[in-house]
Amino acid sequence: MADIKTKDFSKASAVSILDPQLRRALRQVGTGFDAARRAAIDEVSPKLWDEWREEARRIKIHSLDHLDYYLDLLEQNVTKAGGHVHFAKDAAQANDIMAELVRTRNIKIATKSKSMVSEELSLNPALEAQGVDVYETDLGEYIIQLAEETPFHLVAPALHKTKEQVAQLFTDKLGIPYNDDINALAAAARLALREKFLQADLGISGANFLVAETGTLVIITNEGNGRLSTSAPRIHVGITGMEKVIPSLQDLAVFLRLLPRSATGQRITSYVSMITGPRRADDEDGPEEFHLIIVDNGRSKMLADPDLREALYCIRCGACLNICPVYQKVGGHAYGWVYPGPIGAIVTPSLVGLKEAQDLPQASSLCGACREVCPVNINIPRMLLHLRQKSAESPDPSERSAGLVPNLLAEGYTRVMRSPALLSASHKLGRWQQNVWAAMPFFPFSKKGGMIRKASLPLLSRWTRMRDLPELPKETFRDIWKKDLKEGP
Amino acid sequence: MDRPLGVPKAEFLDSVRRALDRKPAAPDPAYPRLLDDVSALQVEAKRIRARLIETRPALLDRFAEVAEAGGWNVHRTSDPENAMAHIQSVADSLGVKNAVRSDQEVFAQILVDAPLESTGISVTTVSHSPDRSRESLRSSIIAADIGLTGADYAVAETGSVIIMPRKGLSRLVSVVPPVHLALVRPEDLVESLDDLFLLRRLEYHDKGGEMGSYLNFITGPSRTADIEQTLVVGVHGPKEVHLVLLG
């Protein structure tokens, strides 16, 4: 599996927040992607949009509730079309299947269109270990492959890079003259990759959807790299998570309406490719072999948990990233694994374990924007709360997000808030202490207009590091109520 | 080597069933969109076709508008000579030397070979035969300045041209050359994605479960916004796409 750096979330976030270039790039996800998404929804009418969302959700609920049946049907129909289906329970097994395929077929060069699952599995190193040269061909993925990084965003993997950085990267890695014109950079990638498409023995793709009825793999792309990867080489291997299956060809329509609009605001992408088995005997071109690798890698655990099953409805449009106040500040790399943003904060702990990623569900203000924009109406905030609860109540201390002291403080806080007598006593104690401080020749904390200024309180300094804290008022509301308000004005 | 790798299917499905706490069984009630038989689909398809004919003029307008917005350079004409003149002018303006085209019905209606060849353009029809191997055809496609195809369907809702590669219709002709030109006939047009997928389902079941190896939606040129969210047209696929709408 891909390297897991989720434990560094807080540290990595603090670094990202102070990076002015990331600030600029992230500001654009709101003005660019999300504005385009909103315009696309206004065009179809919000009412119709909600009907589509409900339909998509119903399809996903049904498909996942009967996943075994539809995987079986899918396998039968892929096989009937002349393809081969392989099932992998985890990342190691998926990579082994791929290794076996490239070994037995003497594969030297592979081109790959964008696949988040292959990032999850760390498929490229596994192929390279077999002596295969693997080329990412989506422009964003190609950039991060050259830079040896992970995707920053589900839809735009190299969102964090400036054109100057890309130009320097191309100069360093491809040996071409420096030119930071974006059109020229795309042309350079076209030139470098065109020959790879034509030389490749193997084309690898992910899948946006799998249609059980017909045994069809569907990919949704804009650049044309997906078409070339699945048409030019002599073998095509699709690799994807088991949750991508939908029952009928007719179910695809609503997803083709929702996904491009939610991702980039497009009515439809430049290309939608539907692949059913290898080329037929009479076809002019296309791969001689078609393989489909279906991966579990922790998904059955999510399926088994009724509180998390919903996360498997995700169609990876990235809308929840673009709207999220946390993602917009910390960016994709801070999340420490393959899937960033609100949906990543659910998928990652579920797939790699809460022990590794207990901080991610905390990385949310629970504002609910992610749920509002989700094209499948996934209740992300509910699942974040569920994971927080699991983490807080876990008997295993390594699964808990907070340490012993914060836990004790929270426990104390709970008790005080539950008891009017204790709450009132704590107010008295607090005010008494404030009076003691006020009577001192020098007030120990910086103060202004009834506020204790940030970064001046010991003990509570994590709370006040970034913001001022109001002083306790001289009277509580209960006091005022008793004295002045109870009788009415 | 055809044996499946990884875990056996039965074992994999068992683990999914355990996760779902389910016994092996078909969904109950059965899924409506899988339930209908061929005759039910035929009734629906007939209804769709009648509607398409009835609304065709408005549909053609809608398709032309949406396709243009999707990045196609649309030229509308019902006159074959005018269509040919337009194709010739596109080829001239690009300085085309080599063209490839698919072997589709529409090229019996719009005869492109002789006029293009008379202006010195070499035209290759991509259809393999005992004399013409797939490899040599592939080289012609790679060398071509423009690829010409018909359409199996066109979708007004999305402005898409649908191509279903098969004998005579290469996957590569519409993606490898820097320019793609598609000829769309009025009868290719459907209104919506729902129309398209219902008709495809019927064809699939009519042919005893044969989907064909590939179906491609093409909507405008190849594009990306992967660097600084700035739109670039023509990454791996065609930079320029033309649509001649014959109606």
Side-chain angles (χ1 to χ4, degrees):
Chain A
M1 284 214 292
D3 286 350
I4 300 166
K5 296 179 197 141
T6 38
K7 279 198 177 302
D8 296 333
F9 178 75
S10 298
K11 241 188 292 169
S13 304
V15 174
S16 303
I17 284 172
L18 297 174
D19 183 334
Q21 181 207 315
L22 282 189
R23 300 264 58 72
R24 273 194 302 276
L26 286 165
R27 216 172 300 129
Q28 282 182 358
V29 302
T31 54
F33 284 137
D34 195 60
R37 183 191 65 82
R38 277 181 278 126
I41 293 170
D42 286 343
E43 193 206 33
V44 298
S45 99
K47 185 174 169 287
L48 185 56
W49 182 254
D50 279 339
E51 287 171 24
W52 289 350
R53 291 169 84 199
E54 277 314 306
E55 186 191 347
R57 190 176 170 82
R58 276 198 303 274
I59 294 169
K60 282 290 186 181
I61 290 172
H62 177 83
S63 308
L64 270 299
D65 283 355
H66 305 87
L67 185 60
D68 56 317
Y69 177 80
Y70 288 116
L71 284 173
D72 193 10
L73 189 61
L74 174 80
E75 187 273 343
Q76 290 173 34
N77 286 320
V78 173
T79 307
K80 199 172 79 181
H84 306 281
V85 182
H86 313 281
F87 292 96
K89 63 180 188 328
D90 55 24
Q93 195 166 43
N95 290 339
D96 283 349
I97 294 169
M98 194 59 112
E100 177 76 10
L101 288 174
V102 299
R103 235 189 345 258
T104 50
R105 284 152 178 82
N106 195 28
I107 305 283
K108 296 286 173 237
I109 300 177
T111 57
K112 189 154 147 260
S113 76
K114 194 170 173 317
S115 152
M116 292 305 291
V117 171
S118 72
E119 296 283 347
E120 173 188 329
L121 305 173
S122 271
L123 181 63
N124 289 1
L127 283 167
E128 282 153 10
Q130 296 297 321
V132 179
D133 288 334
V134 195
Y135 296 91
E136 294 289 347
T137 59
D138 172 84
L139 180 58
E141 290 280 343
Y142 183 57
I143 292 167
I144 63 163
Q145 185 187 31
L146 291 177
E148 297 173 37
E149 292 179 14
T150 54
F152 190 81
H153 187 281
L154 289 174
V155 175
L159 182 77
H160 58 301
K161 292 245 180 269
T162 61
K163 60 183 195 296
E164 292 82 9
Q165 287 175 320
V166 177
Q168 192 56 51
L169 187 68
F170 280 15
T171 301
D172 295 345
K173 301 278 177 159
L174 305 178
I176 58 172
Y178 180 95
N179 182 350
D180 60 21
D181 175 70
I182 293 176
N183 276 290
L185 291 168
R190 176 187 172 105
L191 193 66
L193 289 171
R194 179 53 71 94
E195 63 175 305
K196 303 300 174 199
F197 283 123
L198 299 173
Q199 291 166 352
D201 315 287
L202 169 66
I204 302 167
S205 77
N208 292 100
F209 303 98
L210 299 166
V211 182
E213 178 185 25
T214 54
T216 301
L217 178 156
V218 184
I219 52 174
I220 295 179
T221 66
N222 270 313
E223 296 184 4
N225 61 317
R227 292 179 68 191
L228 286 164
S229 287
T230 59
S231 297
R234 66 185 156 90
I235 297 169
H236 169 207
V237 178
I239 186 158
T240 190
M242 65 180 189
E243 77 278 18
K244 302 281 179 178
V245 64
I246 55 174
S248 156
L249 206 49
Q250 279 179 275
D251 294 325
L252 194 54
V254 72
F255 290 105
L256 292 189
R257 292 178 177 126
L258 288 168
L259 178 51
R261 286 182 173 90
S262 298
T264 54
Q266 287 173 283
R267 188 179 277 135
I268 194 162
T269 45
S270 296
Y271 309 116
V272 176
S273 302
M274 302 176 57
I275 298 143
T276 314
R279 81 159 181 237
R280 306 297 188 264
D282 241 5
D283 285 4
E284 298 303 331
D285 36 32
E288 294 156 25
E289 286 182 45
F290 171 74
H291 297 264
L292 177 61
I293 304 175
I294 293 177
V295 182
D296 182 329
N297 202 32
R299 287 165 176 75
S300 51
K301 272 186 296 179
M302 295 171 74
L303 199 59
D305 185 340
D307 283 310
L308 291 177
R309 187 178 296 177
E310 221 187 317
L312 293 171
Y313 305 163
C314 172
I315 57 174
R316 306 277 188 262
C317 67
C320 63
L321 279 58
N322 301 336
I323 197 80
C324 177
V326 177
Y327 180 87
Q328 282 181 12
K329 290 285 173 287
V330 305
H333 286 159
Y335 288 83
W337 201 50
V338 181
Y339 303 105
I343 191 66
I346 297 162
V347 172
T348 303
S350 307
L351 295 185
V352 307
L354 203 49
K355 199 181 282 227
E356 289 290 336
Q358 67 279 79
D359 283 345
L360 297 190
Q362 315 290 335
S364 166
S365 64
L366 300 177
C367 70
C370 46
R371 185 188 184 188
E372 270 175 43
V373 300
C374 176
V376 204
N377 214 349
I378 298 174
N379 195 338
I380 295 174
R382 182 191 60 72
M383 284 188 285
L384 290 170
L385 274 174
H386 169 72
L387 286 171
R388 286 185 190 184
Q389 186 182 1
K390 247 173 108 166
S391 163
E393 292 174 354
S394 171
D396 178 355
S398 68
E399 289 195 341
R400 288 184 213 138
S401 174
L404 186 63
V405 173
N407 267 326
L408 283 174
L409 282 174
E411 179 68 22
Y413 178 79
T414 311
R415 281 182 192 212
V416 169
M417 291 308 283
R418 273 181 180 160
S419 151
L422 277 178
L423 183 63
S424 164
S426 74
H427 285 150
K428 283 195 184 109
L429 183 70
R431 272 198 302 279
W432 173 78
Q433 186 168 7
Q434 241 169 226
N435 290 337
V436 172
W437 284 338
M440 286 176 158
F442 298 103
F443 188 76
F445 318 112
S446 162
K447 249 192 350 172
K448 190 185 180 187
M451 303 290 270
I452 297 167
R453 307 207 56 189
K454 68 180 179 188
S456 73
L457 267 186
L459 267 183
L460 287 172
S461 64
R462 280 193 72 171
W463 176 259
T464 59
R465 195 161 50 200
M466 298 292 178
R467 41 185 151 0
D468 297 342
L469 188 71
E471 281 189 294
L472 284 171
K474 294 200 164 45
E475 288 177 311
T476 66
F477 177 74
R478 286 156 63 93
D479 295 336
I480 298 168
W481 177 260
K482 263 190 222 151
K483 209 170 64 188
D484 298 330
L485 298 175
K486 204 173 177 180
E487 305 303 325
Chain B
M1 181 207 60
D2 283 351
R3 115 198 111 78
L5 307 167
V7 261
K9 177 172 90 167
E11 196 182 309
F12 191 91
L13 296 184
D14 265 346
S15 76
V16 173
R17 278 185 206 111
R18 270 198 307 279
L20 289 167
D21 195 16
R22 227 173 82 79
K23 300 257 176 301
D28 182 24
Y31 193 64
R33 281 173 175 167
L34 291 179
L35 198 59
D36 35 11
D37 55 11
V38 171
S39 63
L41 287 170
Q42 274 164 346
V43 170
E44 188 59 23
K46 212 172 152 187
R47 223 174 46 81
I48 290 173
R49 294 206 186 277
R51 164 167 50 78
L52 292 175
I53 290 168
E54 200 178 306
T55 59
R56 187 165 285 163
L59 217 53
L60 283 165
D61 291 347
R62 174 83 182 135
F63 174 66
E65 183 195 324
V66 177
E68 188 82 45
W72 290 101
N73 298 295
V74 179
H75 180 80
R76 275 186 80 170
T77 177
S78 46
D79 170 22
E81 275 180 32
N82 180 294
M84 186 56 232
H86 179 72
I87 295 168
Q88 186 73 58
S89 76
V90 168
D92 290 347
S93 70
L94 293 165
V96 168
K97 290 191 176 59
N98 298 295
V100 287
R101 71 162 176 91
S102 57
D103 187 9
Q104 282 172 283
E105 257 177 57
V106 70
F107 291 105
Q109 194 179 329
I110 311 293
L111 305 163
V112 299
D113 295 1
L116 288 177
E117 278 167 354
S118 75
T119 61
I121 296 169
S122 130
V123 183
T124 307
T125 303
V126 178
S127 185
H128 71 279
S129 63
D131 311 330
R132 298 171 83 188
S133 68
R134 290 191 171 92
E135 289 67 33
S136 79
L137 288 169
R138 181 162 155 144
S139 311
S140 321
I141 298 169
I142 293 166
D145 307 306
I146 189 170
L148 286 76
T149 68
D152 289 307
Y153 287 102
V155 184
E157 179 186 347
T158 56
S160 309
V161 168
I162 310 295
I163 286 183
M164 291 155 51
R166 57 183 175 274
K167 170 131 186 76
L169 179 47
S170 151
R171 298 185 188 201
L172 298 177
V173 166
S174 54
V175 68
V176 167
V179 181
H180 172 212
L181 186 148
L183 293 159
V184 177
R185 302 166 302 177
E187 60 267 36
D188 299 329
L189 203 55
V190 296
E191 185 176 344
S192 66
L193 294 169
D194 304 303
D195 290 352
L196 174 74
F197 289 126
L198 186 124
L199 295 173
R200 284 297 300 137
R201 279 191 70 209
L202 175 60
E203 288 161 8
Y204 172 78
H205 291 294
D206 260 350
K207 289 185 183 162
E210 173 55 277
M211 183 68 187
S213 64
Y214 212 75
L215 182 151
N216 206 50
F217 285 64
I218 303 173
T219 315
S222 150
R223 63 191 113 203
T224 186
D226 273 356
I227 302 174
E228 296 193 357
Q229 288 194 57
T230 304
L231 181 70
V232 174
V233 170
V235 204
H236 298 300
K239 192 184 185 69
E240 192 177 313
V241 290
H242 295 268
L243 196 153
V244 179
L245 180 56
L246 301 167

